[in-house]
Amino acid sequence: MPTPLTLLATSGSKRVRLMQAARAQLRLPPAQVLEWRDWLAQPALLEEALRQHCLLKIEPPGDDPAAHLLLLQAGCRLLDRPLVDAPAHGELLAMDAWFAGFAAAMVSLAAQLADLPQARAFNAPTEISLMTDKLACQRHLAAHGVPIPALLGPVHGYEHLQSLLREHELDRVYLKPRYGSSASGVVAYRRNRTGRQQATTSAALSRADGQTRLFNVKRMARYEAEHDIAALVDALAAQELYAETWLSKPRCGDSHYDLRVVTVAGQPAHRVARIGDQMMTNLHLDNRRGDAAGLLDAADMQALEETAVLAARAFPASQVTGYDLVVRQGQARVLEANAFGDLLPGLLWQGADTYTAQLTHV
């Protein structure tokens, strides 16, 4: 008798469709879907869904604007802040408050699962929460011996950024929202000896009625005026921001690339090069896929696989995880761990897509 699967997810999302297709291919019954918004409103629904021996896969809540708002407002209450309205489409709003709500939800979920020994999660809620806090995650990886870009730590605003650059004698850094995802709000910052600055980012500034708002866009924005860059950094820092040293990516013709590797049961499986002309190579930003095996020599491939295994060991309670890496000259560094990094439609490893592979390893 196959083990039933429950998804904490958003019905109709691409992730749910791909998982259901994988189950159909393996001749397994469809997964039961518990909506994030329903669980947040009625936590007891999870206990009803997991009454029998089964697996639970937690998918991201961001596919449902209603669930996102529930988490955002819960975080505002936890941080003793005024409630905010629903963000406009693509708006980067109070990411730290959203994470506070999300982290609290993961604590509640972990407590529920502790009382349901018949249920097993693909990825433990505590590890999902850790991977969603990007700065804490990088520190965690480093503490487990995983090579990462050097961290400069939190950035409290534009002036603080300038002092950090002076302190570390740097002119190039990456600035990353602590609780962002999919390159949302990431800034590639550069300056030269003449004082000229440039910030390339997926966050577009909007100013109206004395307010500065940020919107995630697919087309990279480039800012060179100091007042724009200061407004950008200050707005991101208000939602928690950190800096890491600039890591040059290997070239592929006129473009450059990094790599996404999916580990399943602790072992590297699917891997793909993300090739682009911009600083950010995320595939949803209209960058293109490349064959990792065709770009890496034997030493690079060995570094990729060894580093992915090492990273996966840092999250022993996670069955399937995505890692972004820069690999060059036989060395690999992890840019990010992603608890929801398996959304790579059509990418095969040993004949199986990411969803089929994870179902055959549980």
Side-chain angles (χ1 to χ4, degrees):
M1 181 73 178
T3 303
L5 173 66
T6 294
L7 301 175
L8 180 60
T10 303
S11 294
S13 67
K14 183 179 290 186
R15 293 172 184 272
V16 170
R17 294 197 305 271
L18 290 168
M19 177 58 82
Q20 300 291 34
R23 291 186 69 80
Q25 181 181 341
L26 294 171
R27 298 185 178 179
L28 297 171
Q32 175 184 207
V33 179
L34 174 58
E35 294 279 351
W36 261 96
R37 63 170 76 182
D38 294 339
W39 173 68
L40 290 170
Q42 301 180 67
L45 290 175
L46 183 72
E47 292 150 25
E48 294 177 21
L50 303 181
R51 279 177 296 182
Q52 57 183 326
H53 176 69
C54 68
L55 295 166
L56 172 69
K57 188 161 194 283
I58 304 160
E59 298 288 12
D63 290 324
D64 181 1
H68 182 92
L69 182 59
L70 287 170
L71 293 169
L72 178 58
Q73 294 192 338
C76 288
R77 295 186 189 97
L78 288 168
L79 299 176
D80 197 24
R81 292 186 193 169
L83 297 184
V84 296
D85 293 330
H89 179 70
E91 185 174 11
L92 305 179
L93 175 68
M95 289 184 281
D96 54 337
W98 174 87
F99 177 76
F102 178 75
M106 290 295 97
V107 169
S108 297
L109 184 55
Q112 282 189 288
L113 289 173
D115 292 332
L116 299 168
Q118 73 277 14
R120 180 164 61 92
F122 267 75
N123 289 2
T126 52
E127 293 191 356
I128 291 175
S129 186
L130 176 57
M131 282 185 260
T132 307
D133 180 341
K134 300 305 181 184
L135 177 56
C137 179
Q138 290 298 89
R139 288 170 169 165
H140 176 79
L141 288 169
H144 284 76
V146 180
I148 64 167
L151 296 170
L152 278 66
V155 174
H156 304 303
Y158 177 76
E159 292 302 328
H160 183 228
L161 169 63
Q162 298 305 312
S163 68
L164 283 174
L165 294 171
R166 289 191 295 271
E167 177 186 349
H168 294 276
E169 298 182 340
L170 295 172
D171 290 319
R172 300 191 301 173
V173 291
Y174 272 93
L175 306 174
K176 298 185 175 182
R178 182 165 181 166
Y179 312 113
S181 63
S182 302
S184 297
V186 173
V187 179
Y189 174 86
R190 296 183 285 188
R191 66 180 188 182
N192 62 23
R193 294 178 181 177
T194 68
R196 185 176 179 182
Q197 304 177 70
Q198 184 183 93
T200 304
T201 180
S202 62
L205 278 170
S206 173
R207 294 188 181 93
D209 302 323
Q211 280 190 317
T212 298
R213 301 170 70 185
L214 299 173
F215 291 87
N216 196 39
V217 294
K218 289 185 71 173
R219 185 169 183 172
M220 293 287 109
R222 182 175 294 173
Y223 298 99
E224 296 184 348
E226 183 177 37
H227 68 276
D228 286 334
I229 296 174
L232 172 70
V233 174
D234 288 345
L236 289 168
Q239 303 178 54
E240 294 204 42
L241 186 68
Y242 70 98
E244 67 182 28
T245 53
W246 186 290
L247 194 60
S248 296
K249 297 178 180 180
R251 304 294 299 184
C252 174
D254 293 332
S255 304
H256 52 253
Y257 68 93
D258 59 15
L259 298 127
R260 164 64 60 88
V261 179
V262 178
T263 60
V264 178
Q267 295 300 310
H270 304 75
R271 66 284 306 265
V272 62
R274 309 186 303 178
I275 305 171
D277 302 325
Q278 301 288 342
M279 308 293 184
M280 291 65 166
T281 54
N282 301 67
L283 294 173
H284 76 284
L285 297 175
D286 292 333
N287 294 306
R288 61 191 186 276
R289 292 183 181 187
D291 177 20
L295 290 169
L296 305 182
D297 61 21
D300 285 343
M301 187 62 76
Q302 182 178 352
L304 177 148
E305 294 185 348
E306 290 177 352
T307 303
V309 168
L310 191 61
R313 286 179 187 160
F315 298 101
S318 293
Q319 174 77 4
V320 54
T321 305
Y323 297 96
D324 297 337
L325 302 96
V326 167
V327 183
R328 60 186 307 167
Q329 298 177 335
Q331 294 185 319
R333 288 180 173 81
V334 175
L335 303 176
E336 180 178 321
N338 190 333
F340 308 118
D342 55 355
L343 182 59
L344 292 163
L347 182 66
L348 302 182
W349 174 251
Q350 297 180 346
D353 67 16
T354 56
Y355 293 90
T356 305
Q358 60 194 270
L359 287 172
T360 57
H361 284 82
V362 292

